[in-house]
Amino acid sequence: MLLSKLCCERTKEAPGDAKIKSHILLARAGFIKQVANGIYSMTMPCQKMSQKIQKIIREEMDANDGQEVLFPVVMPRELWEQSGRYTSIGNEMVRFKDRSNHDMLLGMTHEEAAVHMANHIISSYTQLPMMIYQIQTKFRDEARSRGGLIRVREFTMKDAYSFHATKEDLEDYYMKMHKAYQNIFRRIGLKRFIDVKSDSGMMGGNIAHEFMLLTEVGEDSIVLCNHCDYRANMEVATSVIDKPEFADAELTLVDTGADKTIEEVAKRLGVDAKQTAKAVVFAVKGDQEKVVIAFVRGDLEVNEAKLKKVIKMDVAAYEGGETSTVVCGNIGPKDLDKSITVVVDKSLQGMKGMVVGANKEGFHYTGFNFDRDIDVKDYYDISKVQAGDKCPICGGDLRIENGIEIGNIFQLGTKYSASMNMTVTGADGQAFNPIMGCYGIGVGRAIASIAQESNDDNGLILPISVAPWQVHICVLRQDDPVVAEKANKLYKDLEANKVDVLFDDRNCGAGIKFNDADLMGMPIRVVISPKSLQNNEIEITIRKTKESYKVSYDNALSEINTLIAKLEEEYK
Amino acid sequence: MLLSKLCCERTKEAPGDAKIKSHILLARAGFIKQVANGIYSMTMPCQKMSQKIQKIIREEMDANDGQEVLFPVVMPRELWEQSGRYTSIGNEMVRFKDRSNHDMLLGMTHEEAAVHMANHIISSYTQLPMMIYQIQTKFRDEARSRGGLIRVREFTMKDAYSFHATKEDLEDYYMKMHKAYQNIFRRIGLKRFIDVKSDSGMMGGNIAHEFMLLTEVGEDSIVLCNHCDYRANMEVATSVIDKPEFADAELTLVDTGADKTIEEVAKRLGVDAKQTAKAVVFAVKGDQEKVVIAFVRGDLEVNEAKLKKVIKMDVAAYEGGETSTVVCGNIGPKDLDKSITVVVDKSLQGMKGMVVGANKEGFHYTGFNFDRDIDVKDYYDISKVQAGDKCPICGGDLRIENGIEIGNIFQLGTKYSASMNMTVTGADGQAFNPIMGCYGIGVGRAIASIAQESNDDNGLILPISVAPWQVHICVLRQDDPVVAEKANKLYKDLEANKVDVLFDDRNCGAGIKFNDADLMGMPIRVVISPKSLQNNEIEITIRKTKESYKVSYDNALSEINTLIAKLEEEYK
């Protein structure tokens, strides 16, 4: 490709809304162009990178007997009503009426379409396991699209769906896909990626893993053990916390005046926050009459995702109201209105001598004993892990890092096959609902992740496995016919040898060319100048290591091929 | 691929709405599965076929310096308002509001997105010509989706956009793309395709060609010359018609009673339909007050597409009304209300002694002389070509055939670059709007066209250039371990040699296997049976020619490779 003809503009400045490295660099290198909020066009370099990533994804899916299919972007309401998701998913799903007034939607994921396709085709357990996948455009109407390709509304995604006769078979296959995902991320050049246990969210099912790129700009919090390989998304992470013993004492009502927060009350009573209980009030989503109060130890925070799982309902902030019996700032576990759903964290189990709200304006109790003063049926894990907590596996110290989700895998169970009446005949002649798994990777986010992880002050540093071009030729003094001819010959020779080459054939200064080459980030830069040609040499520079050396012009082709093979080794 | 594991169901019966061969066979072979009206999922064989077609398209685009990019499916209203198409396109374009209440749309074509990308990037004429293309999902809310993949609402399309400094450069490039399209259709195995001049419709611009597959199930009418290579879509086709001379006579008002139609009036007056003028009444679309009357010779029909071009407005059927001055059945060119737009066909130019309506209930004129009795400023070509008319190029006989549009190319001019303020600096330092071309091919329709053209009573006959698998192995007596092992070894050997193989490893009868192989239509069938293996032989059958022969099992690999190379020759 001739750079002079490439439809891709490099700029010094990034768009005003570009705050993170990947967004800044992909925009400045001209890889992406914003069309609307969270919606981008991709120019040729970005699309080529996308296709190289897709090829690697396909290879890993096909190696696990995946069958590539294509589901529609636009689907009818009826299909999604079968699973119940037409109503359970909120306004992140685009719905519209077609010209015949039928309710249609834009697919964010394709479990329903996968079951629709496989249903009837899979009739016998002998056909299982079976996995179908697609690489297709999806639209998710994100409220907060941000970070360039990190969180967009329209994206290209690989989504795969597997069907199994037994839970064990799903688990086997799930582990294979887990491995395939590790292969994909390694092959596209990501380094700091990990898999973490996660919440299955709107997908349903129980076991799920997210693959995360650890990066300070990530929006997800990930809990990691410094000693063993325990790691989990904050939403599902657990820990062992230090439980101090406080002296048992008589339950005493004390005047705490206008002090409401844990900090204020602990200070007034001269106790540590660990000796208090914190109450957080929620309402069931859509029904402010149904109050939910979560109690955690004063030094901890409530983990909403865990709370939702316990009460099996979604929650929203509690807005209070004139008839409310909730005395905010003085809420305690004792004598709460019977209509309120109360969930108590395991951090409070067995605790004595505690400070808790008295459900009376301006008063708290001291000497509260959870075993003695109330009757808690079950204690649950509803608190957020904090840095320094102990690992639930090995007892080591836990730390918290930020991450970007780059892929996810789910053991769905029979949520979709059962709701959509997909049955298969088993070895015993009995019909059963096949057990499903699903597996997603966003291609655009993979591009952004690579850009986020692999760059320097001058621009992108693209792994050779996914770089749009392996070699970037800069010819200095394009106006010198001898130099131009030699450069052009090498360009043609490399292309004839199936090397992907970008040839900066512009008649402009070396500084501009080198800046563009650094910004765009191709792995190998070749400089051909009148000066080096005097010794019949060209200069090769490796973008990543900045290593630079001269080779004879006559050996250029074989030298470059050798270097490509060497660089590719890392991503095998 | 093992057929026993393939997510694709062959059936005896086609869906009830399948009326044409391609729909019936693609559905029966399990290639497609309907999700909603005009919306299909593609199973693996269909998706593989789609990808092989896409590869051929990419090769031809890249050979013409095309740069593959990706535009979004969902676009904002503002982008389409710049070109004026947000309002000019009707409800075939899906519009919806996103969660922030912004007007969004689903792209049917991407001229606006292409200009949005190229604008600013192309700043100098030296960067021209430049062509960008994408292969992406599109949605067009067709009122009458039909014929399986022939006319769908959601489809995968390759759309390309070129930018030029001069009209001559566009014309040069247009001819290259014309050639590329011929290459594509030949390489994917279509035979009866032709290019025809066409109307540029909603795309704007003047010169346009459609590529048509000639087939009786086609919805388009194409005019072809039996002697030269003149051919045109009915919408723009012209012809030379035989013009009889009738004796000049006095203009006479005659009572024609209740006779209204050309047939009735001609019969009553004892003249040929050619001696009459037919009036067809329209109204400007959206305004029934604006009446348009088109006059053509009595034996001809009005071509609405041509009429619209003449009056530069869209028309609808005229509904009449109480205040109408139009005397339907007696309309003539003389003394019409001045508010009416009148367009007279060239077939009436210079005609004498004609029968025309008198604009008076129950009366016609005879002896009407168009040069003498009215003042027609210009005569236009607004009539439909009829079979037997003479070719406008060579005078040969014209015939009319049905066709399916399989691709189109347009010289757009500056419609989009001008309306979207895209300017480029020319050699003279002056800014100009680049001249554009655009070029589209629907991938799904290509699949349907191949299926429509290439089949027999037993099923599909797929060209080896696009068949999902080149070889279909049928093993008879899969339960015989020796046979199964030999079949499996050949399957593995072929795959190791990068041959695409479908292996029917099911434990079922030969009849079922042969029927499925014929239905699915892979080019080469290999049968391995206990009987043939007794002579250490396998049987090869060419799907297309039904030619069948035995080869030694030991030479199978090289024999099959030779046959593949031979069959591929046809599509080079």
Side-chain angles (χ1 to χ4, degrees):
Chain A
M1 184 71 212
L2 298 180
L3 185 56
S4 64
K5 293 286 187 185
L6 184 65
C7 188
C8 159
E9 187 187 31
R10 280 79 51 205
T11 56
K12 274 215 159 136
E13 299 299 322
D17 66 330
K19 306 292 181 207
I20 64 173
K21 267 271 171 122
S22 57
H23 188 182
I24 292 168
L25 292 176
L26 289 171
R28 283 192 51 214
F31 280 40
I32 56 175
K33 190 153 180 177
Q34 191 172 25
V35 176
N37 184 22
I39 300 177
Y40 289 84
S41 282
M42 291 185 178
T43 60
M44 188 192 195
C46 199
Q47 176 66 3
K48 274 179 81 81
M49 193 167 160
S50 172
Q51 286 172 331
K52 289 194 178 184
I53 294 171
Q54 289 177 40
K55 182 165 183 285
I56 289 170
I57 292 174
R58 283 194 173 97
E59 285 169 5
E60 294 292 337
M61 293 300 106
D62 295 348
N64 286 291
D65 299 321
Q67 300 178 35
E68 188 171 349
V69 303
L70 190 69
F71 302 120
V73 173
V74 175
M75 287 174 279
R77 170 185 184 143
E78 291 73 18
L79 185 63
W80 282 60
E81 273 182 337
Q82 292 178 42
S83 68
R85 290 206 297 179
Y86 187 77
T87 42
S88 70
I89 296 183
N91 58 359
E92 65 269 33
M93 186 161 80
V94 168
R95 297 161 171 88
F96 66 89
K97 286 193 186 290
D98 71 6
R99 66 191 291 162
S100 312
N101 218 31
H102 280 115
D103 287 314
M104 309 299 282
L105 58 93
L106 298 187
M108 303 160 51
T109 163
H110 280 81
E111 283 73 15
E112 288 82 358
V115 172
H116 175 265
M117 178 182 282
N119 204 352
H120 306 300
I121 295 183
I122 307 181
S123 56
S124 157
Y125 75 99
T126 58
Q127 294 168 274
L128 299 177
M130 185 184 281
M131 188 272 264
I132 50 182
Y133 74 97
Q134 67 167 351
I135 299 180
Q136 168 72 302
T137 303
K138 293 188 160 40
F139 195 86
R140 187 184 299 239
D141 203 354
E142 290 281 354
R144 300 174 305 117
S145 52
R146 59 158 215 121
L149 298 187
I150 291 283
R151 185 176 291 278
V152 290
R153 298 200 287 169
E154 179 169 323
F155 50 97
T156 300
M157 185 174 168
K158 184 284 297 174
D159 44 321
Y161 307 90
S162 68
F163 298 85
H164 308 269
T166 64
K167 197 163 170 297
E168 292 67 38
D169 192 57
L170 168 62
E171 283 162 3
D172 275 359
Y173 193 79
Y174 187 83
M175 286 317 296
K176 284 184 192 164
M177 290 300 276
H178 189 283
K179 177 78 185 143
Y181 269 50
Q182 289 178 316
N183 293 344
I184 290 166
F185 297 125
R186 188 189 67 251
R187 291 178 63 190
I188 67 173
L190 292 178
K191 302 288 175 210
R192 295 196 71 220
F193 69 89
I194 58 165
D195 64 301
V196 300
K197 281 188 194 161
S198 71
D199 189 21
S200 55
M202 73 167 185
M203 311 299 293
N206 282 312
I207 298 174
H209 284 86
E210 284 167 347
F211 289 83
M212 289 279 180
L213 183 76
L214 297 178
T215 160
E216 57 189 10
V217 304
E219 285 182 315
D220 284 290
S221 294
I222 302 148
V223 176
L224 300 106
C225 178
N226 285 336
H227 298 277
C228 76
D229 64 357
Y230 177 76
R231 53 226 176 187
N233 191 308
M234 178 59 84
E235 292 184 341
V236 298
T238 60
S239 65
V240 177
I241 54 169
D242 169 47
K243 263 195 173 178
E245 276 211 22
F246 303 108
D248 205 1
E250 203 175 323
L251 187 68
T252 310
L253 192 67
V254 295
D255 185 340
T256 42
D259 291 341
K260 302 286 186 188
T261 66
I262 292 294
E263 204 182 12
E264 290 163 352
V265 173
K267 195 178 167 194
R268 172 188 281 255
L269 300 176
V271 299
D272 189 90
K274 287 184 182 172
Q275 205 172 341
T276 69
K278 179 189 287 180
V280 186
V281 195
F282 300 93
V284 170
K285 197 167 185 178
D287 188 352
Q288 284 286 327
E289 298 293 309
K290 289 196 179 141
V291 179
V292 178
I293 298 183
F295 287 99
V296 295
R297 209 170 67 188
D299 61 321
L300 303 177
E301 300 293 334
V302 173
N303 183 323
E304 276 188 42
K306 289 182 184 174
L307 176 66
K308 287 176 195 173
K309 274 205 161 173
V310 169
I311 64 171
K312 296 186 177 66
M313 283 181 290
D314 202 358
V315 294
Y318 177 63
E319 293 159 10
E322 286 186 13
T323 60
S324 175
T325 62
V326 179
V327 189
C328 289
N330 294 86
I331 305 169
K334 191 172 160 67
D335 302 328
L336 273 172
D337 191 293
K338 296 280 178 230
S339 70
I340 295 173
T341 302
V342 175
V343 184
V344 186
D345 186 56
K346 62 179 176 39
S347 59
L348 295 170
Q349 188 165 18
M351 294 297 282
K352 302 176 291 201
M354 299 290 283
V355 174
V356 305
N359 294 319
K360 186 177 171 188
E361 185 63 39
F363 287 87
H364 281 77
Y365 286 119
T366 59
F368 193 88
N369 180 326
F370 276 82
D371 286 341
R372 180 191 69 199
D373 298 328
I374 50 163
D375 182 22
V376 178
K377 213 169 139 197
D378 288 302
Y379 289 83
Y380 295 95
D381 176 8
I382 57 163
S383 57
K384 269 191 191 166
V385 172
Q386 298 187 319
D389 284 359
K390 299 302 171 201
C391 172
I393 305 296
C394 77
D397 284 342
L398 295 177
R399 71 180 192 281
I400 297 171
E401 294 203 34
N402 293 334
I404 296 171
E405 185 189 331
I406 50 176
N408 50 43
I409 57 178
F410 297 90
Q411 293 188 20
L412 292 174
T414 58
K415 174 177 158 72
Y416 297 93
S417 57
S419 61
M420 295 180 71
N421 295 318
M422 176 179 183
T423 56
V424 171
T425 306
D428 57 1
Q430 298 293 308
F432 65 95
N433 300 124
I435 301 165
M436 290 176 64
C438 75
Y439 319 88
I441 288 185
V443 180
R445 192 174 285 188
I447 293 171
S449 298
I450 294 163
Q452 187 65 36
E453 187 175 65
S454 190
N455 62 65
D456 62 16
D457 289 343
N458 300 324
L460 298 166
I461 301 176
L462 299 178
I464 200 160
S465 56
V466 297
W469 295 280
Q470 298 158 310
V471 175
H472 186 135
I473 299 178
C474 295
V475 53
L476 308 189
R477 303 297 306 268
Q478 168 76 9
D479 54 344
D480 178 332
V482 176
V483 179
E485 197 208 313
K486 289 245 177 190
N488 199 50
K489 182 174 183 311
L490 180 60
Y491 167 56
K492 294 286 179 200
D493 285 352
L494 285 166
E495 284 209 324
N497 271 269
K498 295 191 186 297
V499 176
D500 282 324
V501 192
L502 181 63
F503 177 24
D504 189 346
D505 60 328
R506 294 174 300 171
N507 198 3
C508 65
I512 294 173
K513 293 198 174 196
F514 293 161
N515 283 347
D516 276 354
D518 278 351
L519 179 57
M520 297 179 78
M522 301 315 134
I524 299 169
R525 187 179 77 187
V526 171
V527 177
I528 304 180
S529 68
K531 204 176 149 197
S532 66
L533 281 180
Q534 281 176 356
N535 303 323
N536 198 34
E537 284 180 334
I538 61 163
E539 190 190 57
I540 292 175
T541 306
I542 300 170
R543 175 74 182 91
K544 192 168 146 183
T545 60
K546 296 190 171 134
E547 193 186 340
S548 203
Y549 54 95
K550 294 205 167 71
V551 301
S552 152
Y553 178 84
D554 303 330
N555 298 336
L557 189 61
S558 72
E559 289 278 355
I560 292 168
N561 272 324
T562 305
L563 179 57
I564 288 172
K566 191 184 138 202
L567 294 179
E568 280 176 340
E569 271 305 312
E570 190 181 337
Y571 308 101
K572 286 255 161 86
Chain B
M1 183 72 214
L2 298 179
L3 185 56
S4 65
K5 293 286 187 185
L6 184 66
C7 188
C8 158
E9 187 186 33
R10 279 79 50 206
T11 57
K12 274 214 158 138
E13 300 297 325
D17 66 331
K19 305 293 181 206
I20 64 173
K21 266 271 170 122
S22 57
H23 189 182
I24 292 168
L25 292 176
L26 289 171
R28 282 191 54 214
F31 280 39
I32 57 175
K33 190 153 181 178
Q34 190 172 26
V35 176
N37 184 22
I39 300 177
Y40 289 84
S41 283
M42 291 187 177
T43 60
M44 187 190 196
C46 199
Q47 176 66 2
K48 274 178 80 82
M49 194 167 161
S50 173
Q51 286 171 330
K52 289 192 178 185
I53 293 171
Q54 289 177 39
K55 182 166 183 285
I56 289 170
I57 293 174
R58 283 193 173 98
E59 286 168 4
E60 295 292 337
M61 293 300 107
D62 295 347
N64 287 290
D65 300 321
Q67 300 179 35
E68 188 171 350
V69 302
L70 190 68
F71 303 120
V73 173
V74 175
M75 286 174 279
R77 170 185 184 144
E78 291 74 17
L79 186 63
W80 281 60
E81 274 182 338
Q82 292 178 41
S83 68
R85 290 206 296 179
Y86 187 77
T87 43
S88 70
I89 296 182
N91 59 359
E92 64 269 33
M93 184 160 80
V94 168
R95 295 161 173 88
F96 66 88
K97 284 190 186 293
D98 71 7
R99 66 191 292 163
S100 312
N101 219 33
H102 280 115
D103 287 314
M104 309 298 283
L105 58 91
L106 299 187
M108 302 159 52
T109 163
H110 281 79
E111 282 73 16
E112 288 82 358
V115 172
H116 175 266
M117 178 182 281
N119 204 352
H120 307 300
I121 295 183
I122 307 182
S123 57
S124 158
Y125 75 99
T126 59
Q127 293 168 274
L128 300 175
M130 186 183 278
M131 188 271 264
I132 50 182
Y133 74 97
Q134 67 166 348
I135 300 180
Q136 168 71 301
T137 303
K138 292 189 160 39
F139 194 87
R140 187 184 300 239
D141 204 355
E142 291 281 353
R144 299 174 306 118
S145 54
R146 62 159 212 121
L149 298 187
I150 291 282
R151 185 176 290 279
V152 291
R153 298 199 288 168
E154 180 171 321
F155 50 98
T156 300
M157 185 173 169
K158 185 283 299 173
D159 44 323
Y161 306 90
S162 68
F163 299 87
H164 308 270
T166 63
K167 198 162 170 297
E168 292 66 39
D169 192 57
L170 167 62
E171 282 163 4
D172 275 0
Y173 194 79
Y174 187 83
M175 286 317 297
K176 283 184 192 164
M177 290 300 277
H178 189 283
K179 177 76 185 145
Y181 270 50
Q182 288 179 316
N183 292 345
I184 291 166
F185 296 126
R186 187 189 67 250
R187 291 177 63 188
I188 68 173
L190 292 178
K191 301 288 176 210
R192 295 197 71 223
F193 69 89
I194 57 166
D195 64 302
V196 301
K197 280 186 194 161
S198 71
D199 188 21
S200 55
M202 72 167 184
M203 311 298 292
N206 282 309
I207 298 176
H209 284 85
E210 285 167 348
F211 288 83
M212 289 279 180
L213 183 75
L214 296 178
T215 161
E216 56 190 10
V217 304
E219 284 181 316
D220 283 290
S221 295
I222 301 147
V223 176
L224 301 105
C225 178
N226 285 337
H227 298 277
C228 75
D229 63 357
Y230 176 76
R231 53 229 178 185
N233 190 309
M234 179 58 85
E235 292 184 341
V236 298
T238 59
S239 64
V240 177
I241 53 167
D242 172 44
K243 262 194 174 178
E245 278 210 21
F246 303 110
D248 204 2
E250 205 175 325
L251 187 68
T252 310
L253 193 69
V254 296
D255 185 341
T256 41
D259 290 342
K260 303 285 186 189
T261 65
I262 293 293
E263 202 182 12
E264 289 163 352
V265 173
K267 195 178 168 195
R268 173 187 280 253
L269 301 177
V271 299
D272 189 272
K274 287 183 183 172
Q275 204 172 344
T276 69
K278 178 189 286 181
V280 185
V281 194
F282 300 94
V284 170
K285 198 168 184 178
D287 187 354
Q288 283 285 326
E289 298 294 309
K290 291 197 179 140
V291 178
V292 177
I293 299 183
F295 287 99
V296 294
R297 209 173 64 187
D299 61 320
L300 303 177
E301 301 292 335
V302 172
N303 183 323
E304 276 188 41
K306 289 183 186 174
L307 176 65
K308 288 176 195 172
K309 274 205 163 175
V310 169
I311 63 169
K312 296 186 176 67
M313 283 183 290
D314 202 359
V315 294
Y318 177 64
E319 293 160 10
E322 285 186 12
T323 60
S324 175
T325 61
V326 179
V327 189
C328 290
N330 293 87
I331 305 170
K334 193 174 158 64
D335 302 327
L336 273 172
D337 191 293
K338 296 282 178 228
S339 71
I340 295 173
T341 302
V342 175
V343 184
V344 186
D345 186 56
K346 63 177 176 40
S347 59
L348 295 170
Q349 189 165 17
M351 294 297 280
K352 302 175 290 199
M354 298 291 283
V355 173
V356 304
N359 295 318
K360 186 176 169 187
E361 185 64 38
F363 287 88
H364 280 77
Y365 286 118
T366 59
F368 192 88
N369 179 326
F370 276 81
D371 287 340
R372 181 190 67 197
D373 298 327
I374 50 163
D375 182 24
V376 177
K377 215 169 136 195
D378 288 302
Y379 287 85
Y380 295 94
D381 176 8
I382 57 162
S383 57
K384 268 190 192 167
V385 172
Q386 298 187 318
D389 284 359
K390 300 302 171 199
C391 173
I393 305 296
C394 76
D397 284 343
L398 295 177
R399 71 181 192 279
I400 297 170
E401 294 204 33
N402 293 334
I404 296 171
E405 184 189 331
I406 50 176
N408 50 43
I409 58 179
F410 297 91
Q411 294 187 19
L412 291 173
T414 57
K415 174 178 157 75
Y416 297 92
S417 56
S419 62
M420 296 180 72
N421 295 319
M422 176 179 182
T423 56
V424 171
T425 306
D428 57 1
Q430 298 293 308
F432 66 93
N433 301 124
I435 302 164
M436 291 177 63
C438 76
Y439 318 88
I441 288 184
V443 179
R445 192 175 285 185
I447 294 171
S449 297
I450 295 164
Q452 188 65 34
E453 188 176 66
S454 189
N455 63 65
D456 64 14
D457 288 344
N458 299 323
L460 297 165
I461 301 176
L462 298 178
I464 199 159
S465 56
V466 297
W469 295 279
Q470 297 158 309
V471 175
H472 187 136
I473 300 178
C474 295
V475 53
L476 308 188
R477 301 299 304 270
Q478 167 77 9
D479 54 343
D480 178 332
V482 177
V483 178
E485 197 207 314
K486 290 244 176 192
N488 198 51
K489 182 172 184 312
L490 179 59
Y491 167 55
K492 294 286 180 202
D493 286 351
L494 285 167
E495 285 209 323
N497 271 270
K498 296 191 184 299
V499 176
D500 281 325
V501 192
L502 181 63
F503 177 25
D504 190 346
D505 60 327
R506 294 173 299 171
N507 198 5
C508 65
I512 294 172
K513 294 197 174 197
F514 294 161
N515 283 345
D516 276 354
D518 278 350
L519 179 57
M520 297 178 80
M522 301 316 134
I524 299 169
R525 187 178 79 188
V526 172
V527 178
I528 304 179
S529 68
K531 203 175 149 201
S532 64
L533 281 180
Q534 279 175 359
N535 302 323
N536 197 34
E537 284 181 333
I538 61 163
E539 189 189 57
I540 292 175
T541 306
I542 300 169
R543 175 72 181 91
K544 191 168 144 184
T545 59
K546 296 192 170 133
E547 192 186 344
S548 203
Y549 55 94
K550 292 205 168 74
V551 300
S552 152
Y553 178 84
D554 303 329
N555 299 335
L557 189 60
S558 72
E559 289 278 356
I560 292 169
N561 272 325
T562 306
L563 179 57
I564 289 172
K566 190 182 140 204
L567 293 179
E568 280 175 343
E569 272 304 313
E570 191 181 337
Y571 308 100
K572 286 256 161 87

